[in-house]
Amino acid sequence: KRSRPQPKRRQTMVNTTIPVSVLRSDDILLLLAIGAIYEIIIRTVAQRVKARSLDERNLRSQLHQLKYETTQSRRLGPSAFVETSKLERAVLVKEKDLSKFEEDRNKRIDTVQRLSWNFTVALNLIVFAVYYGVPILSVDGGAVTGAGDEVMTEEAAAASYMRGLIFPLSYIGVGLRLAGVGLAARASSLGALVVMWSAQSTVEKVSECVEALVLQ
């Protein structure tokens, strides 16, 4: 007897539920909103400061036109020496005015960057103080080890699971370790700063992608 061909089994993705013992969903939403809104405000202000003013754009346009006229006048030779000299002096004046615009803009950029850094440090300190010792998410070690598993303790199993969950940040994220200061189960928990930083990083990457698409 010929055996019937067996139907091919479909490969399905298994959704693994993260075993958590603590999950503060309201605080997560609040911290994500704070981080995203703060990053949007900071990046918007920085972009506005870096942008050239209307007067500077007009000055650049005038300078470009004067340089073109100067080049055309030079081609006329000695007969246009007086006119060429006037145009060259006008170019120097415009270039001096333009350098003043650029100098003032660079000063504003430095000031905004310094203030942004101070505000960022202050915000991090406030969030750290408010949520000191409060885990936003903690892994349940008992659910990880399972019944009768005596190879690892619950604490070690939870810490190992968390390291794998946030790999490679668990090994290279210095800020991640500092954000866990004060947590009882530091190795298997995430603090408030990590949640807020994740929102800021997401907004930063999305903004960079949008800027790259706009510049193309």
Side-chain angles (χ1 to χ4, degrees):
K1 295 181 180 180
R2 295 181 179 179
S3 59
R4 291 184 177 180
Q6 296 294 329
K8 295 182 178 180
R9 295 181 179 179
R10 296 181 179 178
Q11 295 181 351
T12 57
M13 297 293 294
V14 179
N15 294 325
T16 303
T17 302
I18 299 176
V20 295
S21 59
V22 176
L23 180 63
R24 303 178 184 276
S25 55
D26 292 339
D27 290 320
I28 289 176
L29 293 176
L30 176 62
L31 291 166
L32 289 175
I34 292 174
I37 293 172
Y38 176 80
E39 188 67 21
I40 290 173
I41 292 174
I42 291 297
R43 295 187 71 84
T44 301
V45 172
Q47 289 298 325
R48 290 180 64 88
V49 172
K50 292 179 181 178
R52 294 168 180 169
S53 63
L54 179 60
D55 292 339
E56 184 178 355
R57 293 198 298 270
N58 291 336
L59 183 59
R60 285 182 177 275
S61 178
Q62 295 172 9
L63 179 59
H64 180 74
Q65 181 63 28
L66 281 173
K67 287 183 176 180
Y68 173 77
E69 293 176 359
T70 303
T71 302
Q72 295 298 109
S73 180
R74 285 172 181 166
R75 292 178 179 176
L76 298 177
S79 60
F81 174 77
V82 177
E83 184 64 22
T84 302
S85 299
K86 291 181 180 179
L87 291 172
E88 289 176 345
R89 287 194 296 270
V91 168
L92 292 175
V93 172
K94 295 295 183 183
E95 287 179 341
K96 184 178 180 180
D97 294 340
L98 184 60
S99 64
K100 184 67 168 59
F101 272 107
E102 293 176 347
E103 181 181 351
D104 292 341
R105 188 174 70 252
N106 290 333
K107 288 181 179 178
R108 292 195 301 269
I109 291 174
D110 291 339
T111 301
V112 169
Q113 289 178 344
R114 186 169 58 253
L115 290 175
S116 298
W117 170 255
N118 293 336
F119 284 134
T120 300
V121 172
L123 178 62
N124 289 337
L125 291 176
I126 291 173
V127 172
F128 179 80
V130 171
Y131 286 93
Y132 181 79
V134 179
I136 301 301
L137 183 148
S138 294
V139 173
D140 185 2
V144 174
T145 57
D149 190 352
E150 299 179 356
V151 177
M152 300 179 66
T153 63
E154 292 186 6
E155 292 78 7
S160 177
Y161 188 93
M162 179 62 77
R163 285 195 299 270
L165 184 64
I166 60 176
F167 180 84
L169 295 178
S170 54
Y171 294 95
I172 63 175
V174 178
L176 187 66
R177 300 175 186 177
L178 294 176
V181 173
L183 299 178
R186 181 176 176 180
S188 59
S189 302
L190 293 179
L193 284 175
V194 177
V195 179
M196 186 180 70
W197 290 343
S198 65
Q200 292 176 333
S201 298
T202 302
V203 172
E204 179 184 0
K205 298 304 179 184
V206 171
S207 300
E208 290 176 354
C209 292
V210 172
E211 292 172 3
L213 290 174
V214 170
L215 293 176
Q216 287 183 352

